Amino acid sequence: MNVGQVIREKRLAKNMTQQELADRVQITQSMLCQIERGSKIPTILLAWEIAKVLDFELNDYVSEES
């Protein structure tokens, strides 16, 4: 599972739309869509912001990858 898949899974578990999450982390919905599809990789800071909004730890990205 890649970073984008982890984000999508966590976002859906919170019943949050792409637009809602994008607004909360101050990016466009298009950028979030690209991250979730795996065509863009978020910066560490953005990954941290997304994790904070979705209530999980950065380590969860790695745990899901294993």
Side-chain angles (χ1 to χ4, degrees), residues 4-28:
Q5 290 170 322
V6 172
I7 291 169
R8 183 174 192 278
E9 183 179 281
K10 302 288 187 183
R11 177 180 61 77
L12 291 175
K14 294 278 187 185
N15 295 314
M16 188 177 287
T17 67
Q18 282 184 339
Q19 188 65 58
E20 289 169 330
L21 178 55
D23 289 347
R24 297 271 306 269
V25 298
Q26 300 179 343
I27 61 172
T28 64

Side-chain angles (χ1 to χ4, degrees), residues 5-62:
Q5 290 170 322
V6 172
I7 291 169
R8 183 174 192 278
E9 183 179 281
K10 302 288 187 183
R11 177 180 61 77
L12 291 175
K14 294 278 187 185
N15 295 314
M16 188 177 287
T17 67
Q18 282 184 339
Q19 188 65 58
E20 289 169 330
L21 178 55
D23 289 347
R24 297 271 306 269
V25 298
Q26 300 179 343
I27 61 172
T28 64
Q29 180 273 329
S30 175
M31 174 64 111
L32 180 59
C33 181
Q34 291 175 49
I35 291 169
E36 287 187 356
R37 281 193 325 237
S39 60
K40 297 275 186 191
I41 298 172
T43 64
I44 294 294
L45 181 58
L46 179 55
W48 181 79
E49 287 290 333
I50 291 170
K52 188 169 75 169
V53 168
L54 296 177
D55 196 31
F56 70 99
E57 300 291 325
L58 281 179
N59 290 340
D60 291 345
Y61 286 122
V62 178

